[in-house]
Amino acid sequence: MSDSIVSKPGVTVLASKISKIYVDEITSKVEAIKPIRPQGPLLVGFLANADPAAEMYASWTKKTSEGMGFRYELRRVDNKDFLEEAIIEANRDPEVDGIMVYYPVFGNAQDQYLQQVVAKEKDVEGLNHVYYQNMYHNIRYLDPNNSLKSILPCTPLAVVKILEYLKVYNNLLPEGNRLYGKKCVVVNRSEIVGRPLAALLANDGAIVYSVDIDNIQKFTRGEGLKFTRHHVEDLGPFSDELLQKCCSQADVIITGVPSEHYKFPTQYIKEGAVCINFSSNRNFEESVKTKASLYVPMTGKVTISMLLRNMLRLIENAEKSKTPQ
């Protein structure tokens, strides 16, 4: 047996490989709605910053969406003070099926306001407060007849789909409980990804340790999954000791720290854990594969697939809403 096999037992799984399983599904649905969208659905992306990661994401989105039959239009807004008006104009345009904004724009609470400016009927990123409230309360539909599916934020949803692909979800358990018995660590508690991801995983039955620079919180549905949605417990201020304790039994470690300098300590990873990074910066050292069984270094291409699935769902919901239930 070679030294390389001994020293690095882990396997790297690329997002591009995982995203391929959704391409046929998405492409066939785009083809099926040709009678109502003969030229393909139109997705508009707004770019009002100079972030290289946003430029890269926009380029990926264009290439991926056009490759599956969508139309994509990048609208650059040089003066971000005019972004709100540009979004409202797209909300009113019947030709536009989906809207996304490349954040951060202002990098503060004003970004949260902009998320609510996007009409929920066109919000492919799933950031509208209606979708967020449903997600946090573990409500999966928008209507009492359970015919209009609620939209989930696309990056947290991408991580869930990656975990399903990696067989972390137990399909022998009932839907909604398939992470029962699993322990996860999420290093990031942003309102865009980290917190909703912790909620989604806990709502599916996991014990989730949510980590940020201030403290560590525990998301869980209680002993025996007695609650219908997650509850949050504050475990105390952040410390390396507390982080290491949470990681010692973690089946999954997920990072999303937006810094090229941050590296998750490899020695904290339990033997055989699954490690996923959703930051545009690689949060794990190459040595991650000496401890992790499966390692996903980036999630971007799965995120774009989820964004396009969300867009198709919005169109489907809009068509169903035209028909009396």
Side-chain angles (χ1 to χ4, degrees), residues 53-258:
E55 285 278 0
M56 181 175 67
Y57 189 23
S59 175
W60 279 355
T61 310
K62 176 179 174 63
K63 182 179 178 182
T64 305
S65 57
E66 289 182 350
M68 286 189 267
F70 294 82
R71 290 177 293 149
Y72 176 80
E73 187 179 312
L74 180 63
R75 297 183 183 177
R76 297 178 186 273
V77 181
D78 294 330
N79 185 339
K80 55 191 177 184
D81 289 329
F82 296 129
L83 178 57
E84 181 180 358
E85 286 74 14
I87 293 171
I88 291 170
E89 184 180 337
N91 284 342
R92 293 171 176 164
D93 185 349
E95 286 294 307
V96 176
D97 294 294
I99 297 170
M100 63 182 302
V101 180
Y102 295 99
Y103 295 103
V105 177
F106 294 93
N108 55 27
Q110 202 165 342
D111 283 6
Q112 294 176 28
Y113 168 74
L114 286 172
Q115 290 161 21
Q116 306 314 312
V117 173
V118 177
K120 82 175 193 302
E121 294 79 12
K122 299 188 180 187
D123 176 19
V124 296
E125 296 180 281
L127 301 177
N128 185 275
H129 71 92
V130 171
Y131 300 139
Y132 259 53
Q133 184 173 17
N134 281 355
M135 178 199 63
Y136 282 124
H137 287 264
N138 206 10
I139 297 169
R140 305 193 178 208
Y141 292 89
L142 294 168
D143 64 320
N145 298 323
N146 292 351
S147 64
L148 306 178
K149 277 198 170 182
S150 197
I151 303 299
L152 290 169
C154 53
T155 302
L157 179 58
V159 175
V160 167
K161 293 300 181 184
I162 289 168
L163 290 171
E164 289 180 350
Y165 177 88
L166 299 177
K167 309 298 184 187
V168 175
Y169 274 70
N170 184 350
N171 287 337
L172 296 177
L173 292 174
E175 188 176 7
N177 292 347
R178 289 177 176 169
L179 286 181
Y180 180 55
K182 302 293 184 183
K183 292 183 179 178
C184 307
V185 171
V186 179
V187 187
N188 171 295
R189 204 184 302 137
S190 69
E191 296 300 327
I192 300 286
V193 186
R195 190 190 298 274
L197 175 58
L200 280 174
L201 299 178
N203 283 346
D204 280 338
I207 293 172
V208 184
Y209 299 103
S210 172
V211 180
D212 75 0
I213 58 173
D214 295 320
N215 63 4
I216 297 180
Q217 296 179 338
K218 181 180 178 182
F219 286 54
T220 173
R221 276 175 49 204
E223 189 175 338
L225 307 184
K226 65 181 177 181
F227 303 122
T228 57
R229 68 179 184 91
H230 74 281
H231 290 228
V232 180
E233 176 187 350
D234 196 334
L235 299 182
F238 173 86
S239 69
D240 287 331
E241 293 76 16
L242 182 54
L243 175 61
Q244 188 169 9
K245 182 179 177 183
C246 293
C247 292
S248 65
Q249 297 298 317
D251 305 288
V252 179
I253 296 175
I254 304 165
T255 59
V257 180

